Amino acid sequence: MANFIFRVLLTLVLSYLCNRVNGKANFKEIDEKLKQLNKPAVKTIQSEDGDIIDCVDIYKQPAFDHHALKNHIIQMKPSFDLKEERLSSKNESTKLAIFQTWQRSGSCPEGTVPIRRIRREDLLRAKSVQQFGRKPHEVVLKSNTTVEHKDGQLPSINTTALAMPVIVNRSAATLVTVGYNYIGAKADINVWTPNVEAQDEYTTAQIWLKAGPGDNFESIESGWTVNPQLYGDKRTRLFAHWTKDSYKTTGCFDMTCSGFVQTSSQYLLGGSIEPVSTEFGQQYDLTVGIYMDPNTANWWLKIGKDIPVGYWPASTLLFYLNHSSTLVEWGGQVYSSNVKKKPHTKTGMGSGQFASGLRGNACYMDNIAIVDFSMQLKYPQWVGTWADEQYCYTALNYQEGYGTLPIFYFGGPGQNYNCP
């Protein structure tokens, strides 16, 4: 009798486990999601870092799963050119190139786009199949905290105040400009591999362009991230992300949902980048630019030497950003359930060192610029620095000398003596 009861219980347990994975999803649901995400490949590349890259027909990429893009005609290249002010930083002549690891193992043919293959273990790490590839919803505590801003390029002139929301599960250190109609932003982002303490935490160095109400904003974003839950390792990776409802139910990283239309066969969203900077050693930068095409309202992502990677089709995907962005941020963000509380996470931002360490020690953003309807790249009329937790992560806009652009430094180690 005891053996019979044991066999019945074992059967029930095995049946339960077969239908549920980590209490989140059944195998059938996972397999259906994999089939939806992974499109038929014209060519497959095995990268040295363990990634599998599928070269997918450009018209069969995930973007076209979106109901609003069923009959979308791909814009193969931007229809605009940008003029740039010649004011530059002292570091301009010392820029060192980076590349993506997968590029050593092959290339995608013309007419295809590289997409990182999603595997079953990737979905198993997610909190749910539905949540896979998305930033967690922002939990806003209050919105009456103020940030100082400075009118003009120098960081010490005419301080005023701007309300910024306090978000429970994120900690940011950013440079902010707000109040105008921005149709583009760029920066050279210093590349590092900071420590990420837990699998469900991540850190970014990125640009945000936002529009809309504070509790339901739209955002398009790009930069680099270390995100072990999404990618399965702690490598530094290029990412892009979008949302039209402040991360509640829409948007995703890279190509893990429909929305972003990729046109380039050269860059892989979600692909690891190297080399990375070392303390007081060689410094490597990733140039990221996001620009709205005034003729189509498509928001183009450009990487490196002005190479178009693809675009977010705002006219069908977004509402407020269909016209312009009203807020731009440059900087870093740490996602963790252990920010703004004790004990604090040890996940680092930027290089993992405070902004006061400056070049070679702290992470920076150089050649910062915005674009308005003059279609000219220029330094914002005013900027302000903001740090959610100034004892954990800091922000510093630093000008080395007259006639040069300020360089924005940001980051920190997270938990330390002053941030227990």
Side-chain angles (χ1 to χ4, degrees), residues 54-339:
D54 290 324
C55 302
V56 175
D57 184 300
I58 193 169
Y59 278 99
K60 295 180 180 178
Q61 61 181 295
F64 294 99
D65 291 338
H66 196 285
H67 65 90
L69 298 174
K70 291 296 183 183
N71 299 313
H72 181 74
I73 298 174
I74 296 177
Q75 181 183 358
M76 298 306 296
K77 61 181 182 179
S79 67
F80 60 91
D81 291 311
L82 298 173
K83 298 177 182 179
E84 187 167 7
E85 291 182 345
R86 296 317 305 157
L87 187 67
S88 63
S89 75
K90 287 187 175 182
N91 298 330
E92 184 65 31
S93 62
T94 60
K95 301 296 181 185
L96 297 172
I98 65 168
F99 59 92
Q100 290 194 290
T101 307
W102 74 280
Q103 293 169 338
R104 283 201 293 257
S105 302
S107 60
C108 283
E110 188 176 349
T112 69
V113 293
I115 301 177
R116 182 177 177 271
R117 184 181 298 180
I118 306 302
R119 289 175 273 198
R120 178 172 286 183
E121 53 265 37
D122 296 323
L123 296 180
L124 294 180
R125 288 190 304 271
K127 291 183 179 180
S128 69
V129 170
Q130 293 74 24
Q131 187 63 31
F132 174 73
R134 287 172 40 202
K135 282 191 175 184
H137 177 215
E138 288 190 347
V139 181
V140 179
L141 183 63
K142 57 182 180 179
S143 56
N144 59 354
T145 305
T146 59
V147 54
E148 290 186 344
H149 82 258
K150 289 82 181 175
D151 189 11
Q153 294 183 11
L154 297 176
S156 59
I157 299 175
N158 298 338
T159 61
T160 58
L162 169 70
M164 295 289 283
V166 175
I167 303 167
V168 174
N169 52 8
R170 288 165 168 80
S171 188
T174 60
L175 185 74
V176 185
T177 188
V178 67
Y180 292 90
N181 291 318
Y182 308 106
I183 60 168
K186 73 170 283 271
D188 298 340
I189 306 175
N190 193 207
V191 178
W192 293 81
T193 304
N195 173 60
V196 174
E197 182 178 23
Q199 180 177 279
D200 63 349
E201 299 178 344
Y202 64 77
T203 182
T204 71
Q206 64 173 98
I207 301 172
W208 295 259
L209 289 99
K210 297 179 178 179
D215 61 347
N216 204 43
F217 62 82
E218 296 177 352
S219 179
I220 48 179
E221 314 166 13
S222 186
W224 60 255
T225 184
V226 180
N227 188 332
Q229 184 172 67
L230 179 59
Y231 300 112
D233 59 30
K234 295 185 178 182
R235 295 177 180 271
T236 302
R237 294 174 176 270
L238 169 69
F239 83 91
H241 193 283
W242 69 277
T243 179
K244 66 178 300 181
D245 60 358
S246 60
Y247 313 111
K248 293 185 185 75
T249 61
T250 62
C252 63
F253 281 97
D254 309 330
M255 307 284 273
T256 57
C257 70
S258 54
F260 185 83
V261 179
Q262 182 149 346
T263 58
S264 172
S265 61
Q266 297 183 46
Y267 280 99
L268 173 69
L269 294 180
S272 60
I273 52 181
E274 56 179 288
V276 297
S277 304
T278 56
E279 189 170 6
F280 301 115
Q282 296 281 20
Q283 301 300 299
Y284 297 91
D285 297 350
L286 172 70
T287 300
V288 174
I290 301 174
Y291 313 103
M292 190 182 81
D293 188 325
N295 298 310
T296 63
N298 294 331
W299 284 92
W300 281 89
L301 172 63
K302 292 186 175 183
I303 299 295
K305 294 183 178 180
D306 210 34
I307 298 175
V309 176
Y311 59 89
W312 293 274
S315 59
T316 53
L317 202 64
L318 303 166
F319 178 73
Y320 298 102
L321 283 170
N322 191 31
H323 177 262
S324 65
S325 166
T326 54
L327 183 147
V328 181
E329 293 179 271
W330 299 261
Q333 184 182 77
V334 167
Y335 169 80
S336 171
S337 58
N338 294 314
V339 294

